[in-house]
Amino acid sequence: MEKNNTKFYLTCSVLFVLATLILVVLGSEPKQLARLYGYSPDGYTITMDASNAPTTSSEYTNVYQTVRTTEFEYFDVKASSGNHVELSKNGYINNLSQITSITSVTATFSTMGSLLVYVSYDGNNSFDYQLVSGVTKEFSNLPYNIYFLARDYAVTIESIIINYSCSPHETSLDKYRINWYGPDNVLLEADVDVEPGTFPSYDGPIPTKDPSEGVVYTFAGWSPELSTVVGNQNYRATFNEVRSSYTLINGGTEYMLTAVSDKTITAFTIPSSYLGKPVTAIGDSVFSGFANLELISLPNTLTSIGEYAFYDCSSLTSIVIPDGVTSINFFVFYNCSSLTSITIPNSVTFISDYAFANCFSLQFNEYDNAYYLGNDTNPYLVLVKAKNTDISHCVINSSTKIIKDHAFYSCSSLTSITIPNSVTSIGNVTFARCSRLTSITIPDSVTSIGSSSFSGCSGLTSFTIPNSVTSIGDGAFSGCSGLQFNEYDNAYYLGNEINPYLILIKAKNTEISNCVINSSTIMIHSEAFYYCSGLTSITIPNSVTSIGGSTFSYCSSLTSITIPNSVTSIGGWAFVGCTALTSIVIPDGVTSINYFVFYNCSSLASIVIPNSVTSIDRGAFRNCSSLTSITIPNGVTSIGEWAFFDCSSLTSITIPDSVTSIGGSAFYSCSSLTSITIPNGVTSIVDW
């Protein structure tokens, strides 16, 4: 027996060290709690350690997998009730209170053989007890470590119940630490010195989890379920997943709202941020046709509102546009017939055509032969229209920033108008057909003049354009037969004494073969070189910032052109019918490839689109039959209808993740196209 005991002690010592090393490697932390070890008939050990008990069966397996075999009989801590713990096969694990003495052990196992109970005191003293199935063995104040060894291979252990108590001299049990974790294992709160037997309580803010694409999260509770404190415990926040009612797309550093699914909503709040990035834009047509929408809250992070965004929102009564928005685009509030109040911030410098068309309930302020739209802070922000077409003069209010489209259209009696320095933009067709208007001074504050703004002003003989103007729309001066132009190198210019060649109006004639544009020119006007079929070369200086619509249309001999980096806009139809043009590089800074800009450029085989471009408009590359491949930069959000119509040599194209809409017939008759990649973010594809 002594020999066997010596062997047994050595085996216990080796296995005890092995188990301890495993626990240390796995990050266990020794505590003064009862350690319970089970021995199998084949000599392998499994540790039942109440001081570092795993909380799930999978964790249990991971901790002890190095000492398990398929034949191994092992025990789990099954339950703790009062002052006893039961060990059994296939049980589960609870943490235990501090055990300082074992009072009794009851074992249940097969009747064949017996179970040796070995108890040690700090690893120094040992006692052997032989248990028979179902018989309780009592111990007197024996501490800490207890081992079990089946002496016979035929013994099958079913359960072991250990009764324990605390040391008589102790007045209280240990206190514990409760950790509360949020998403990504972030510690939200740590409660220390928590009394055993109390119920845990979280006192911090409600845990939140950032939304993922298309999903928002709501707090659901804690895992594991809260229970009376019996030891150190980690609780982790859990969340319910809710599919969001709106769609946002990632623009790199910010997000754009592109769709809202429920058209029956009466109120909506656009979030200021998403996945840690600001929401800065509302896409085109997002709330179009939301007839029940009465209230909309826009975040202060917003900087742009797309076309048709609130089109036909007939129940919308008021809206506050936040500071930071600079333009109100085409048809944004069209047919918002219940809209009675709108706040437009000072940051807005442009309001597009028909932005407030059919807003019959909007109240306008009258001042000196004109109607204005404003707010309490700036009551005359926008000049909407003349009081009537018979007015002969108008002094525009000094706080006005924008003169709206068609404001003085067909005011044929208008002979004079004073524009204050507060005005920053003049809309489309604003003074068209004001045939008696002989002169006008545009202040230095104005940066843009809209399309056809002075069209048909046949009495206009003097026009001063300031250097501040960077954009003049198509046909702004068409039909201004009384204006005097300066001639320079095969072209006519409109300018002033300070900058005599500010705008190139048109070529001297359509038979010119070359032109060097004056180095002080800021704009090339629409149709400036229209049908110059003999033009083979042209030099555009770095001073030019915009190229108007149809500027080089049907210049069929033009083989190449260099557009300087100073250019930020190229008008629609600008290069239509340039059948000899083989390559072109669009400069950085251009944000839109306009409608039909390269239509029927049948020799165009190479084109470079910069990362600044966000949209490719309808028909932009239609009938570019020599184009074999094209790279659409990440950042483009929309591809218009007919954009690549009849590009018969195009073999492959990759559409970036930023694109959300593809127009009808965008790739119609691309007969060589064998591969196309459409991103998951596309929410609209028109199939005709």
Side-chain angles (χ1 to χ4, degrees):
M1 180 67 181
E2 183 177 349
K3 182 178 181 181
N4 288 339
N5 281 344
T6 302
K7 181 179 181 181
F8 173 75
Y9 300 154
L10 289 172
T11 302
C12 288
S13 299
V14 171
L15 292 173
F16 181 83
V17 171
L18 175 61
T20 303
L21 286 174
I22 293 170
L23 291 172
V24 169
V25 169
L26 293 169
S28 64
E29 186 175 307
K31 300 179 178 67
Q32 287 192 334
L33 298 176
R35 291 197 176 97
L36 313 174
Y37 297 89
Y39 280 79
S40 74
D42 56 41
Y44 282 87
T45 295
I46 191 69
T47 303
M48 312 311 302
D49 189 342
S51 68
N52 193 28
T55 56
T56 66
S57 58
S58 62
E59 289 181 11
Y60 180 90
T61 302
N62 290 336
V63 171
Y64 301 117
Q65 61 185 347
T66 57
V67 293
R68 284 189 54 189
T69 67
T70 55
E71 296 85 16
F72 179 55
E73 292 284 353
Y74 65 95
F75 307 99
D76 286 346
V77 179
K78 183 177 182 182
S80 177
S81 175
N83 275 17
H84 82 267
V85 60
E86 179 181 351
L87 305 185
S88 72
K89 291 183 295 183
N90 303 320
Y92 58 90
I93 295 171
N94 282 335
N95 290 331
L96 302 176
S97 301
Q98 186 181 26
I99 300 174
T100 57
S101 61
I102 307 296
T103 57
S104 68
V105 175
T106 302
T108 303
F109 48 91
S110 65
T111 55
M112 296 179 64
S114 60
L115 185 70
L116 178 68
V117 180
Y118 168 71
V119 181
S120 71
Y121 178 77
D122 289 340
N124 296 320
N125 303 318
S126 62
F127 305 87
D128 291 341
Y129 299 95
Q130 186 168 315
L131 292 183
V132 180
S133 178
V135 176
T136 298
K137 181 68 177 179
E138 295 183 357
F139 302 88
S140 298
N141 298 321
L142 296 175
Y144 297 110
N145 301 324
I146 183 166
Y147 306 85
F148 305 96
L149 180 64
R151 283 186 161 179
D152 194 312
Y153 275 79
V155 173
T156 301
I157 303 167
E158 297 298 336
S159 68
I160 300 172
I161 297 176
I162 303 171
N163 287 285
Y164 60 88
S165 64
C166 298
S167 296
H169 66 273
E170 291 197 16
T171 57
S172 64
L173 300 178
D174 279 356
K175 295 181 180 180
Y176 299 104
R177 176 186 175 99
I178 307 298
N179 294 322
W180 307 86
Y181 289 95
D184 301 321
N185 210 34
V186 175
L187 182 64
L188 303 176
E189 180 177 302
D191 299 330
V192 297
D193 295 332
V194 179
E195 295 284 351
T198 59
F199 199 80
S201 175
Y202 174 73
D203 302 319
I206 295 175
T208 59
K209 183 177 180 180
D210 287 337
S212 57
E213 297 289 349
V215 178
V216 293
Y217 299 91
T218 59
F219 176 63
W222 300 97
S223 178
E225 187 176 345
L226 301 186
S227 61
T228 303
V229 174
V230 293
N232 294 334
Q233 181 64 58
N234 294 328
Y235 289 108
R236 302 185 186 279
T238 62
F239 298 87
N240 293 322
E241 292 187 5
V242 180
R243 300 299 301 180
S244 62
S245 61
Y246 52 85
T247 303
L248 294 133
I249 63 167
N250 192 346
T253 58
E254 69 281 324
Y255 274 87
M256 173 191 287
L257 178 70
T258 58
V260 177
S261 59
D262 186 3
K263 277 199 168 187
T264 65
I265 59 172
T266 58
F268 190 84
T269 298
I270 298 174
S272 60
S273 64
Y274 188 71
L275 296 176
K277 298 177 183 178
V279 176
T280 61
I282 301 173
D284 295 347
S285 305
V286 171
F287 296 96
S288 178
F290 279 51
N292 297 319
L293 185 66
E294 298 174 5
L295 299 171
I296 182 79
S297 179
L298 308 182
N300 289 330
T301 52
L302 202 66
T303 58
S304 69
I305 302 173
E307 296 180 355
Y308 297 90
F310 298 97
Y311 182 95
D312 209 19
C313 290
S314 54
S315 297
L316 189 64
T317 57
S318 66
I319 192 166
V320 176
I321 300 173
D323 289 337
V325 174
T326 58
S327 64
I328 300 176
N329 286 315
F330 192 68
F331 280 97
V332 170
F333 298 102
Y334 182 87
N335 208 29
C336 291
S337 53
S338 299
L339 193 64
T340 59
S341 172
I342 183 167
T343 299
I344 302 173
N346 289 328
S347 56
V348 170
T349 58
F350 174 75
I351 297 179
S352 186
D353 200 9
Y354 300 108
F356 299 101
N358 291 355
C359 292
F360 302 115
S361 299
L362 269 180
Q363 300 299 310
F364 299 104
N365 305 304
E366 183 181 346
Y367 176 88
D368 193 36
N369 288 324
Y371 294 106
Y372 294 81
L373 176 65
N375 52 55
D376 292 340
T377 305
N378 200 345
Y380 301 116
L381 189 66
V382 182
L383 190 155
V384 179
K385 61 179 179 177
K387 187 175 181 181
N388 57 65
T389 58
D390 294 330
I391 63 171
S392 60
H393 72 277
C394 182
V395 177
I396 297 174
N397 185 276
S398 60
S399 62
T400 304
K401 295 186 72 175
I402 297 163
I403 303 175
K404 193 74 175 62
D405 307 331
H406 299 88
F408 296 93
Y409 177 73
S410 286
C411 289
S412 55
S413 299
L414 188 67
T415 57
S416 66
I417 189 163
T418 302
I419 301 175
N421 284 327
S422 57
V423 172
T424 58
S425 71
I426 298 172
N428 301 322
V429 202
T430 303
F431 297 99
R433 295 190 182 181
C434 293
S435 54
R436 294 189 183 181
L437 192 63
T438 58
S439 66
I440 190 169
T441 299
I442 309 294
D444 290 338
S445 54
V446 171
T447 59
S448 66
I449 298 173
S451 300
S452 302
S453 51
F454 296 94
S455 175
C457 291
S458 55
L460 200 61
T461 58
S462 173
F463 199 96
T464 301
I465 302 174
N467 290 330
S468 57
V469 172
T470 58
S471 172
I472 296 180
D474 297 347
F477 301 101
S478 61
C480 294
S481 54
L483 275 179
Q484 301 298 310
F485 300 106
N486 304 305
E487 183 181 345
Y488 178 89
D489 192 36
N490 286 327
Y492 294 106
Y493 295 81
L494 176 64
N496 52 53
E497 293 178 356
I498 298 174
N499 199 347
Y501 302 116
L502 189 66
I503 303 171
L504 190 154
I505 300 294
K506 62 178 179 178
K508 187 175 182 179
N509 57 65
T510 59
E511 297 175 358
I512 65 169
S513 60
N514 66 80
C515 182
V516 177
I517 297 174
N518 186 277
S519 61
S520 62
T521 304
I522 292 179
M523 275 161 272
I524 303 174
H525 203 23
S526 55
E527 302 184 3
F529 295 93
Y530 184 78
Y531 259 111
C532 290
S533 56
L535 187 68
T536 58
S537 66
I538 190 165
T539 302
I540 302 176
N542 285 325
S543 56
V544 172
T545 59
S546 68
I547 297 173
S550 302
T551 299
F552 298 99
S553 292
Y554 302 104
C555 292
S556 54
S557 299
L558 190 65
T559 57
S560 66
I561 187 170
T562 300
I563 302 174
N565 285 330
S566 55
V567 171
T568 58
S569 68
I570 302 172
W573 304 90
F575 295 94
V576 62
C578 291
T579 53
L581 192 64
T582 59
S583 66
I584 196 163
V585 176
I586 299 172
D588 291 335
V590 172
T591 58
S592 175
I593 309 296
N594 269 319
Y595 50 90
F596 295 101
V597 66
F598 297 105
Y599 176 39
N600 205 28
C601 290
S602 54
S603 299
L604 187 64
S606 172
I607 186 163
V608 176
I609 302 175
N611 291 329
S612 55
V613 169
T614 59
S615 66
I616 298 175
D617 214 333
R618 63 187 187 276
F621 298 98
R622 182 170 179 170
N623 287 51
C624 290
S625 53
S626 297
L627 196 63
T628 58
S629 65
I630 191 166
T631 300
I632 299 175
N634 197 20
V636 171
T637 60
S638 63
I639 298 173
E641 57 190 3
W642 313 309
F644 296 93
F645 187 104
D646 205 20
C647 289
S648 55
S649 298
L650 192 64
T651 58
S652 67
I653 190 166
T654 299
I655 300 173
D657 290 338
S658 54
V659 171
T660 59
S661 67
I662 300 173
S665 300
F667 298 96
Y668 185 86
S669 197
C670 292
S671 54
S672 300
L673 190 62
T674 59
S675 172
I676 186 167
T677 302
I678 298 176
N680 293 329
V682 172
T683 58
S684 172
I685 299 179
V686 181
D687 60 358
W688 48 267

